[in-house]
Amino acid sequence: MTAAQTSRVEQVTDIVVGGALIALAVREQARGRFALAALGPGIAAQAFFPAVEQRAERSVTIAAPPDEVYRFCRDATHLGRAVPGLLDVRAGQDGDIAWRTRSPLGRAHTWPIVITGEQSPRLLAWRVRDHERPRGRFELRPAPGDRGTELHAVVHYVSRAPAALGATLRTATVDARLRETLRRLKTLIEARELPTTEGQPTGRRWRAAS
Amino acid sequence: MKALCWYGPEDVRVGDVPEPRCVNPRDAVIRVTSTAICGSDLHLYNGYIPTLRAGDVLGHEFMGEVVETGPAVQNLQPGDRVVVPFTIACGGCFHCQRGEWSLCDNSNPNAWMAEALYGYSPSGLFGYSHLFGGYAGGQAEYVRVPFADVGPVKVPDGLHDEQVLFLSDIFPTGWMAAENCDIEPGDVIAVWGCGPVGLFAIKSAFLLGAAAVIALDRFPERLRLARAAGAEGLDYEHADVVEQLKQLTGGRGPDACIDAVGLEAHGTTADARLDQVKHATGLGTDRPNVLRQAIQACRKGGIVSIPGVYGGMLDKIPFGAAFAKGLAFRMGQTHVHRYMRPLLERIQQGQIDARFVISHRLPLVDAPEAYAMFRDKDDACTKVVLMP
């Protein structure tokens, strides 16, 4: 964990969002005002503390040889299906890959991803253009006993003190997303589709059989 | 379409729900022609398995006719009659390739949930809570079958639904329970629970060469079925089980013990009563007194085979006895895919007529009453087959 610089935009955003939550909390009719009253000052205070670089690390074993796993991961559209919460993946400018995500507030955000390291079939590294973080790396190794490929993934990202709860939530979120990404990659390669229960029958709205 | 939905403990209803459709390329949709209530469905019915949601469609033993296939399903055609394994497996992961189909890495969409509870996720299951995928079950007119290119087995002409329906679960489950006993000539196998899985375990143990099987239950009609299958029946309510099993085996103890009861064991012993109190007060998840007896009764160096379902934290298991006697434990959901075709051949060869467990045949709309009847063992109920 190392200190990282907090940008002016992030500082202003923290103050505005934190202040808005405090303002909401003091309105008598606001629902959950006690939670907002606790959260608002925490977010606003973040603006005055340095960001902290953290890393999430996960691994998965995929029943396929390293070159097949590498080819699959190198294809941005494949990787796009594996990353939860991704709206779409497009070819960007200068060979970038544009990942579009949606924020919790519903705003779409584009991440121009630059490949910073390629050693087929062993290493694939990336970062967001013009930023040191977030950045990540996939390392591929043959699994022992001809069991396929071990994929070791590391993501470096920024979390800001002192909002301990916020930092913990962010760490948990990044870690969970990385774990889910690896799980989906494995499933897409081994099973060629993602299991789902989307659109299946349920009796959530009870109707007696006619 | 009509489907049997769960709304809470002891509250299941047949309602109108939307029909399923193929979602993924490897899906198929089946028109269900026969389905059954499994003993493990009673764990859902009685509220023992967490993560069910109101409106979930139950049922994991079913068969029927293919009505739709996804573009990646090349081995099935609309009109094919198929039996569907209750475990859902991708066919491509490490475990599927080893034949450990119920441990499939890729078929549970809620794997994160099972990982949080168990460390790793087993396969998805039809109609068996969101912990195991949240898939809609087959006690319905239609069901969507994921990974249909590796699961369903076509039924040869000339076989009635009832002859092959139980390939979906209880016959392979009983078979695997017996196979896990590594039966050798002269072996005596003790089977706790003479419900459908226990009865298939008895038949399977004999087919695999057991010299004798001792069957334990408390219901006269179930003990009668066990005796008809060739076992010696033992009413556990009127016996000191461990001593009686010693007597019946010349003091050696059974070579292997099969717990075909699982987490809702009944019993009259002090530990069984304590389990009941703990469960009723929310202090315990499972009632494992059959497992305790099996460990205590098994001979030194023997095997305890557990097809009965357990879900949570088991209390006061005599692990010291298991260690001192050098017991081996075999357990887990059945690798149904592994057994369906070989057991279908045995059915075709006339080695077993799976219909012997059926006590009731009812329309799907009577399923709520059938659940209550099966749970209470009313009307000598051993197995209910439902027709949608």
Side-chain angles (χ1 to χ4, degrees), chain B residues 176-199:
Chain B
M176 189 169 109
E179 191 181 72
N180 277 342
C181 295
D182 290 348
I183 295 170
E184 295 178 357
D187 275 0
V188 179
I189 312 298
V191 178
W192 274 257
C194 300
V197 168
L199 292 169

Side-chain angles (χ1 to χ4, degrees), chain B residues 232-248:
Chain B
E232 179 153 356
L234 183 60
D235 180 349
Y236 67 77
E237 282 194 332
H238 299 99
D240 178 333
V241 168
V242 175
E243 281 306 314
Q244 194 72 29
L245 287 171
K246 266 189 191 171
Q247 287 300 316
L248 291 168

Side-chain angles (χ1 to χ4, degrees), chain A residues 83-90 98-111 170 173 177:
Chain A
V83 180
L86 219 54
L87 288 177
D88 58 36
V89 178
R90 296 173 185 170
W99 287 12
R100 283 204 316 139
T101 59
R102 194 178 290 286
S103 74
L105 297 175
R107 202 161 59 93
H109 189 85
T110 301
W111 302 82
R170 180 151 173 75
T173 304
R177 288 181 73 162

Side-chain angles (χ1 to χ4, degrees), chain A residues 183 187 190-191 194 200 203-204, chain B residues 7 24 26 54-55 106 115 134:
Chain A
R183 194 196 331 272
T187 300
E190 292 179 348
L194 295 174
Q200 70 173 6
R204 301 263 185 275
Chain B
Y7 288 93
N24 274 335
R26 299 176 66 188
N106 296 317
E115 280 176 9

